[in-house]
mmCIF file of all heavy atoms in Angstrom:
data_model
loop_
_atom_site.group_PDB
_atom_site.id
_atom_site.type_symbol
_atom_site.label_atom_id
_atom_site.label_comp_id
_atom_site.label_asym_id
_atom_site.label_seq_id
_atom_site.Cartn_x
_atom_site.Cartn_y
_atom_site.Cartn_z
ATOM 1 N N ASP A 111 0.823 -1.207 0.000
ATOM 2 C CA ASP A 111 0.000 0.000 0.000
ATOM 3 C C ASP A 111 0.859 1.261 0.000
ATOM 4 O O ASP A 111 0.515 2.261 -0.644
ATOM 5 C CB ASP A 111 -0.936 0.014 1.215
ATOM 6 C CG ASP A 111 -1.966 -1.094 1.167
ATOM 7 O OD1 ASP A 111 -2.394 -1.467 0.061
ATOM 8 O OD2 ASP A 111 -2.338 -1.609 2.244
ATOM 9 N N LYS A 112 1.981 1.207 0.695
ATOM 10 C CA LYS A 112 2.864 2.363 0.736
ATOM 11 C C LYS A 112 3.633 2.543 -0.583
ATOM 12 O O LYS A 112 3.998 3.655 -0.952
ATOM 13 C CB LYS A 112 3.833 2.245 1.910
ATOM 14 C CG LYS A 112 3.229 2.727 3.218
ATOM 15 C CD LYS A 112 2.863 4.173 3.150
ATOM 16 C CE LYS A 112 1.779 4.570 4.084
ATOM 17 N NZ LYS A 112 1.102 5.817 3.689
ATOM 18 N N VAL A 113 3.887 1.440 -1.279
ATOM 19 C CA VAL A 113 4.445 1.547 -2.632
ATOM 20 C C VAL A 113 3.509 2.395 -3.490
ATOM 21 O O VAL A 113 3.935 3.302 -4.210
ATOM 22 C CB VAL A 113 4.648 0.150 -3.258
ATOM 23 C CG1 VAL A 113 5.037 0.280 -4.741
ATOM 24 C CG2 VAL A 113 5.729 -0.631 -2.502
ATOM 25 N N CYS A 114 2.228 2.119 -3.389
ATOM 26 C CA CYS A 114 1.236 2.854 -4.171
ATOM 27 C C CYS A 114 1.165 4.326 -3.759
ATOM 28 O O CYS A 114 1.084 5.222 -4.614
ATOM 29 C CB CYS A 114 -0.140 2.204 -4.017
ATOM 30 S SG CYS A 114 -0.236 0.550 -4.706
ATOM 31 N N ASP A 115 1.162 4.582 -2.458
ATOM 32 C CA ASP A 115 1.138 5.968 -1.984
ATOM 33 C C ASP A 115 2.332 6.749 -2.520
ATOM 34 O O ASP A 115 2.207 7.902 -2.952
ATOM 35 C CB ASP A 115 1.144 6.003 -0.459
ATOM 36 C CG ASP A 115 -0.187 5.604 0.152
ATOM 37 O OD1 ASP A 115 -1.202 5.573 -0.576
ATOM 38 O OD2 ASP A 115 -0.220 5.311 1.370
ATOM 39 N N GLN A 116 3.496 6.140 -2.491
ATOM 40 C CA GLN A 116 4.705 6.827 -2.954
ATOM 41 C C GLN A 116 4.687 7.060 -4.458
ATOM 42 O O GLN A 116 5.122 8.109 -4.937
ATOM 43 C CB GLN A 116 5.952 6.032 -2.547
ATOM 44 C CG GLN A 116 6.221 6.072 -1.051
ATOM 45 C CD GLN A 116 7.211 5.024 -0.623
ATOM 46 O OE1 GLN A 116 8.409 5.291 -0.479
ATOM 47 N NE2 GLN A 116 6.729 3.801 -0.405
ATOM 48 N N ILE A 117 4.184 6.099 -5.215
ATOM 49 C CA ILE A 117 4.067 6.292 -6.666
ATOM 50 C C ILE A 117 3.111 7.447 -6.957
ATOM 51 O O ILE A 117 3.419 8.340 -7.757
ATOM 52 C CB ILE A 117 3.585 4.996 -7.350
ATOM 53 C CG1 ILE A 117 4.689 3.935 -7.315
ATOM 54 C CG2 ILE A 117 3.162 5.272 -8.791
ATOM 55 C CD1 ILE A 117 4.238 2.563 -7.797
ATOM 56 N N SER A 118 1.946 7.440 -6.318
ATOM 57 C CA SER A 118 0.963 8.498 -6.547
ATOM 58 C C SER A 118 1.521 9.871 -6.191
ATOM 59 O O SER A 118 1.316 10.847 -6.921
ATOM 60 C CB SER A 118 -0.307 8.216 -5.738
ATOM 61 O OG SER A 118 -0.975 7.064 -6.211
ATOM 62 N N ASP A 119 2.238 9.959 -5.077
ATOM 63 C CA ASP A 119 2.803 11.253 -4.676
ATOM 64 C C ASP A 119 4.025 11.635 -5.506
ATOM 65 O O ASP A 119 4.302 12.826 -5.683
ATOM 66 C CB ASP A 119 3.137 11.241 -3.185
ATOM 67 C CG ASP A 119 1.949 11.664 -2.324
ATOM 68 O OD1 ASP A 119 1.057 12.359 -2.844
ATOM 69 O OD2 ASP A 119 1.910 11.299 -1.133
ATOM 70 N N ALA A 120 4.767 10.663 -6.015
ATOM 71 C CA ALA A 120 5.876 10.974 -6.924
ATOM 72 C C ALA A 120 5.342 11.574 -8.218
ATOM 73 O O ALA A 120 5.934 12.513 -8.777
ATOM 74 C CB ALA A 120 6.691 9.717 -7.210
ATOM 75 N N ILE A 121 4.216 11.052 -8.695
ATOM 76 C CA ILE A 121 3.565 11.613 -9.877
ATOM 77 C C ILE A 121 3.100 13.036 -9.586
ATOM 78 O O ILE A 121 3.289 13.956 -10.390
ATOM 79 C CB ILE A 121 2.393 10.714 -10.318
ATOM 80 C CG1 ILE A 121 2.930 9.373 -10.839
ATOM 81 C CG2 ILE A 121 1.529 11.403 -11.372
ATOM 82 C CD1 ILE A 121 1.859 8.315 -11.030
ATOM 83 N N LEU A 122 2.483 13.233 -8.424
ATOM 84 C CA LEU A 122 2.062 14.575 -8.018
ATOM 85 C C LEU A 122 3.244 15.538 -7.966
ATOM 86 O O LEU A 122 3.159 16.667 -8.471
ATOM 87 C CB LEU A 122 1.380 14.511 -6.651
ATOM 88 C CG LEU A 122 1.009 15.856 -6.021
ATOM 89 C CD1 LEU A 122 -0.075 16.562 -6.831
ATOM 90 C CD2 LEU A 122 0.557 15.664 -4.564
ATOM 91 N N ASP A 123 4.343 15.116 -7.365
ATOM 92 C CA ASP A 123 5.539 15.958 -7.287
ATOM 93 C C ASP A 123 5.996 16.401 -8.670
ATOM 94 O O ASP A 123 6.350 17.569 -8.887
ATOM 95 C CB ASP A 123 6.679 15.198 -6.593
ATOM 96 C CG ASP A 123 6.567 15.200 -5.078
ATOM 97 O OD1 ASP A 123 5.884 16.082 -4.521
ATOM 98 O OD2 ASP A 123 7.178 14.316 -4.441
ATOM 99 N N GLU A 124 6.006 15.467 -9.628
ATOM 100 C CA GLU A 124 6.455 15.777 -10.985
ATOM 101 C C GLU A 124 5.550 16.810 -11.631
ATOM 102 O O GLU A 124 6.019 17.764 -12.248
ATOM 103 C CB GLU A 124 6.497 14.500 -11.831
ATOM 104 C CG GLU A 124 7.703 13.656 -11.638
ATOM 105 C CD GLU A 124 8.984 14.277 -12.156
ATOM 106 O OE1 GLU A 124 9.002 14.802 -13.277
ATOM 107 O OE2 GLU A 124 9.972 14.238 -11.439
ATOM 108 N N PHE A 125 4.250 16.631 -11.510
ATOM 109 C CA PHE A 125 3.316 17.572 -12.138
ATOM 110 C C PHE A 125 3.399 18.951 -11.491
ATOM 111 O O PHE A 125 3.443 19.973 -12.184
ATOM 112 C CB PHE A 125 1.884 17.034 -12.069
ATOM 113 C CG PHE A 125 1.542 16.113 -13.208
ATOM 114 C CD1 PHE A 125 1.494 14.743 -13.012
ATOM 115 C CD2 PHE A 125 1.268 16.612 -14.474
ATOM 116 C CE1 PHE A 125 1.188 13.890 -14.074
ATOM 117 C CE2 PHE A 125 0.962 15.768 -15.535
ATOM 118 C CZ PHE A 125 0.913 14.403 -15.335
ATOM 119 N N LEU A 126 3.420 19.020 -10.161
ATOM 120 C CA LEU A 126 3.473 20.318 -9.497
ATOM 121 C C LEU A 126 4.796 21.031 -9.753
ATOM 122 O O LEU A 126 4.836 22.264 -9.815
ATOM 123 C CB LEU A 126 3.241 20.154 -7.995
ATOM 124 C CG LEU A 126 1.829 19.773 -7.549
ATOM 125 C CD1 LEU A 126 1.764 19.657 -6.025
ATOM 126 C CD2 LEU A 126 0.797 20.795 -8.031
ATOM 127 N N THR A 127 5.877 20.281 -9.900
ATOM 128 C CA THR A 127 7.172 20.892 -10.210
ATOM 129 C C THR A 127 7.151 21.562 -11.572
ATOM 130 O O THR A 127 7.708 22.642 -11.758
ATOM 131 C CB THR A 127 8.287 19.832 -10.153
ATOM 132 O OG1 THR A 127 8.357 19.284 -8.828
ATOM 133 C CG2 THR A 127 9.644 20.437 -10.502
ATOM 134 N N LYS A 128 6.483 20.946 -12.517
ATOM 135 C CA LYS A 128 6.434 21.478 -13.884
ATOM 136 C C LYS A 128 5.281 22.455 -14.094
ATOM 137 O O LYS A 128 5.387 23.355 -14.916
ATOM 138 C CB LYS A 128 6.335 20.323 -14.882
ATOM 139 C CG LYS A 128 7.576 19.437 -14.909
ATOM 140 C CD LYS A 128 7.446 18.315 -15.928
ATOM 141 C CE LYS A 128 8.731 17.494 -16.017
ATOM 142 N NZ LYS A 128 8.626 16.413 -17.031
ATOM 143 N N ASP A 129 4.196 22.265 -13.387
ATOM 144 C CA ASP A 129 3.036 23.149 -13.479
ATOM 145 C C ASP A 129 2.362 23.171 -12.114
ATOM 146 O O ASP A 129 1.626 22.260 -11.760
ATOM 147 C CB ASP A 129 2.054 22.660 -14.548
ATOM 148 C CG ASP A 129 0.761 23.488 -14.580
ATOM 149 O OD1 ASP A 129 0.718 24.581 -13.970
ATOM 150 O OD2 ASP A 129 -0.225 23.021 -15.195
ATOM 151 N N LYS A 130 2.621 24.216 -11.353
ATOM 152 C CA LYS A 130 2.164 24.243 -9.963
ATOM 153 C C LYS A 130 0.646 24.316 -9.825
ATOM 154 O O LYS A 130 0.103 24.105 -8.741
ATOM 155 C CB LYS A 130 2.819 25.383 -9.191
ATOM 156 C CG LYS A 130 2.405 26.781 -9.640
ATOM 157 C CD LYS A 130 3.104 27.828 -8.785
ATOM 158 C CE LYS A 130 2.650 29.245 -9.127
ATOM 159 N NZ LYS A 130 3.336 30.241 -8.248
ATOM 160 N N PHE A 131 -0.043 24.622 -10.930
ATOM 161 C CA PHE A 131 -1.499 24.665 -10.892
ATOM 162 C C PHE A 131 -2.133 23.369 -11.400
ATOM 163 O O PHE A 131 -3.341 23.319 -11.666
ATOM 164 C CB PHE A 131 -2.012 25.854 -11.706
ATOM 165 C CG PHE A 131 -1.639 27.192 -11.123
ATOM 166 C CD1 PHE A 131 -0.639 27.960 -11.702
ATOM 167 C CD2 PHE A 131 -2.261 27.665 -9.987
ATOM 168 C CE1 PHE A 131 -0.279 29.189 -11.166
ATOM 169 C CE2 PHE A 131 -1.903 28.898 -9.437
ATOM 170 C CZ PHE A 131 -0.907 29.654 -10.026
ATOM 171 N N SER A 132 -1.346 22.331 -11.522
ATOM 172 C CA SER A 132 -1.862 21.036 -11.959
ATOM 173 C C SER A 132 -2.966 20.551 -11.030
ATOM 174 O O SER A 132 -2.887 20.722 -9.813
ATOM 175 C CB SER A 132 -0.743 19.993 -11.984
ATOM 176 O OG SER A 132 0.259 20.310 -12.912
ATOM 177 N N ARG A 133 -3.973 19.969 -11.611
ATOM 178 C CA ARG A 133 -5.021 19.290 -10.853
ATOM 179 C C ARG A 133 -4.767 17.791 -11.000
ATOM 180 O O ARG A 133 -4.844 17.242 -12.098
ATOM 181 C CB ARG A 133 -6.409 19.653 -11.371
ATOM 182 C CG ARG A 133 -6.741 21.135 -11.238
ATOM 183 C CD ARG A 133 -7.066 21.514 -9.786
ATOM 184 N NE ARG A 133 -7.227 22.942 -9.625
ATOM 185 C CZ ARG A 133 -8.307 23.634 -9.932
ATOM 186 N NH1 ARG A 133 -9.381 23.019 -10.408
ATOM 187 N NH2 ARG A 133 -8.332 24.950 -9.737
ATOM 188 N N VAL A 134 -4.458 17.162 -9.887
ATOM 189 C CA VAL A 134 -4.002 15.770 -9.911
ATOM 190 C C VAL A 134 -4.813 14.930 -8.939
ATOM 191 O O VAL A 134 -4.989 15.303 -7.771
ATOM 192 C CB VAL A 134 -2.501 15.670 -9.556
ATOM 193 C CG1 VAL A 134 -2.033 14.213 -9.593
ATOM 194 C CG2 VAL A 134 -1.655 16.518 -10.502
ATOM 195 N N ALA A 135 -5.300 13.821 -9.430
ATOM 196 C CA ALA A 135 -5.884 12.778 -8.587
ATOM 197 C C ALA A 135 -5.393 11.456 -9.151
ATOM 198 O O ALA A 135 -6.018 10.867 -10.031
ATOM 199 C CB ALA A 135 -7.404 12.838 -8.592
ATOM 200 N N ALA A 136 -4.234 11.013 -8.661
ATOM 201 C CA ALA A 136 -3.568 9.829 -9.203
ATOM 202 C C ALA A 136 -3.696 8.664 -8.230
ATOM 203 O O ALA A 136 -3.243 8.737 -7.088
ATOM 204 C CB ALA A 136 -2.091 10.124 -9.472
ATOM 205 N N GLU A 137 -4.314 7.598 -8.691
ATOM 206 C CA GLU A 137 -4.490 6.390 -7.895
ATOM 207 C C GLU A 137 -3.612 5.275 -8.475
ATOM 208 O O GLU A 137 -3.511 5.140 -9.689
ATOM 209 C CB GLU A 137 -5.951 5.937 -7.900
ATOM 210 C CG GLU A 137 -6.944 7.023 -7.530
ATOM 211 C CD GLU A 137 -6.936 7.368 -6.066
ATOM 212 O OE1 GLU A 137 -6.364 6.591 -5.267
ATOM 213 O OE2 GLU A 137 -7.519 8.416 -5.686
ATOM 214 N N THR A 138 -3.025 4.479 -7.613
ATOM 215 C CA THR A 138 -2.138 3.403 -8.045
ATOM 216 C C THR A 138 -2.546 2.094 -7.382
ATOM 217 O O THR A 138 -2.927 2.080 -6.208
ATOM 218 C CB THR A 138 -0.675 3.720 -7.679
ATOM 219 O OG1 THR A 138 -0.304 4.988 -8.220
ATOM 220 C CG2 THR A 138 0.270 2.655 -8.220
ATOM 221 N N THR A 139 -2.452 1.025 -8.128
ATOM 222 C CA THR A 139 -2.564 -0.312 -7.551
ATOM 223 C C THR A 139 -1.413 -1.158 -8.084
ATOM 224 O O THR A 139 -0.999 -1.006 -9.237
ATOM 225 C CB THR A 139 -3.926 -0.967 -7.869
ATOM 226 O OG1 THR A 139 -4.036 -2.213 -7.176
ATOM 227 C CG2 THR A 139 -4.097 -1.203 -9.360
ATOM 228 N N VAL A 140 -0.864 -1.993 -7.232
ATOM 229 C CA VAL A 140 0.240 -2.867 -7.618
ATOM 230 C C VAL A 140 -0.083 -4.300 -7.229
ATOM 231 O O VAL A 140 -0.777 -4.557 -6.250
ATOM 232 C CB VAL A 140 1.581 -2.443 -6.973
ATOM 233 C CG1 VAL A 140 2.020 -1.070 -7.463
ATOM 234 C CG2 VAL A 140 1.494 -2.458 -5.447
ATOM 235 N N THR A 141 0.435 -5.215 -8.002
ATOM 236 C CA THR A 141 0.365 -6.628 -7.694
ATOM 237 C C THR A 141 1.548 -7.299 -8.372
ATOM 238 O O THR A 141 2.392 -6.609 -8.959
ATOM 239 C CB THR A 141 -0.984 -7.242 -8.133
ATOM 240 O OG1 THR A 141 -1.099 -8.569 -7.632
ATOM 241 C CG2 THR A 141 -1.131 -7.228 -9.647
ATOM 242 N N THR A 142 1.642 -8.593 -8.297
ATOM 243 C CA THR A 142 2.794 -9.285 -8.869
ATOM 244 C C THR A 142 3.002 -8.908 -10.328
ATOM 245 O O THR A 142 2.127 -9.114 -11.163
ATOM 246 C CB THR A 142 2.606 -10.811 -8.763
ATOM 247 O OG1 THR A 142 2.358 -11.171 -7.406
ATOM 248 C CG2 THR A 142 3.854 -11.534 -9.252
ATOM 249 N N GLY A 143 4.139 -8.285 -10.604
ATOM 250 C CA GLY A 143 4.529 -7.986 -11.975
ATOM 251 C C GLY A 143 3.808 -6.846 -12.643
ATOM 252 O O GLY A 143 3.961 -6.650 -13.860
ATOM 253 N N MET A 144 3.041 -6.037 -11.889
ATOM 254 C CA MET A 144 2.243 -5.005 -12.533
ATOM 255 C C MET A 144 1.989 -3.817 -11.623
ATOM 256 O O MET A 144 1.780 -3.973 -10.419
ATOM 257 C CB MET A 144 0.897 -5.585 -12.984
ATOM 258 C CG MET A 144 0.054 -4.625 -13.825
ATOM 259 S SD MET A 144 -1.593 -5.257 -14.135
ATOM 260 C CE MET A 144 -2.380 -4.894 -12.587
ATOM 261 N N ALA A 145 2.006 -2.626 -12.214
ATOM 262 C CA ALA A 145 1.564 -1.407 -11.545
ATOM 263 C C ALA A 145 0.581 -0.701 -12.465
ATOM 264 O O ALA A 145 0.848 -0.515 -13.655
ATOM 265 C CB ALA A 145 2.741 -0.487 -11.233
ATOM 266 N N LEU A 146 -0.564 -0.313 -11.931
ATOM 267 C CA LEU A 146 -1.588 0.399 -12.690
ATOM 268 C C LEU A 146 -1.788 1.773 -12.078
ATOM 269 O O LEU A 146 -2.052 1.895 -10.886
ATOM 270 C CB LEU A 146 -2.906 -0.374 -12.676
ATOM 271 C CG LEU A 146 -4.155 0.384 -13.181
ATOM 272 C CD1 LEU A 146 -4.028 0.729 -14.659
ATOM 273 C CD2 LEU A 146 -5.428 -0.433 -12.915
ATOM 274 N N VAL A 147 -1.669 2.814 -12.896
ATOM 275 C CA VAL A 147 -1.932 4.180 -12.467
ATOM 276 C C VAL A 147 -3.175 4.665 -13.204
ATOM 277 O O VAL A 147 -3.249 4.617 -14.433
ATOM 278 C CB VAL A 147 -0.753 5.115 -12.779
ATOM 279 C CG1 VAL A 147 -1.087 6.539 -12.343
ATOM 280 C CG2 VAL A 147 0.520 4.637 -12.075
ATOM 281 N N CYS A 148 -4.164 5.126 -12.454
ATOM 282 C CA CYS A 148 -5.373 5.662 -13.063
ATOM 283 C C CYS A 148 -5.775 6.929 -12.324
ATOM 284 O O CYS A 148 -5.225 7.264 -11.274
ATOM 285 C CB CYS A 148 -6.514 4.633 -13.034
ATOM 286 S SG CYS A 148 -6.960 4.045 -11.389
#
């Protein structure tokens, strides 16, 4: 679960760094061999 939290917030960090007015709602799920960002 914390892997997912960190991925979602890493995506947020990237968007806000490049465009501070970005509207972001990034959800992540991980399982064996796969990560899904939606």
Side-chain angles (χ1 to χ4, degrees):
D111 294 327
K112 276 298 155 201
V113 172
C114 295
D115 286 345
Q116 289 165 97
I117 290 172
S118 293
D119 272 337
I121 292 168
L122 174 66
D123 280 339
E124 279 292 314
F125 274 104
L126 290 180
T127 299
K128 294 181 176 181
D129 175 14
K130 67 179 184 179
F131 294 105
S132 297
R133 298 285 173 80
V134 180
E137 309 287 346
T138 305
T139 186
V140 296
T141 189
T142 305
M144 187 188 79
L146 168 65
V147 179
C148 58

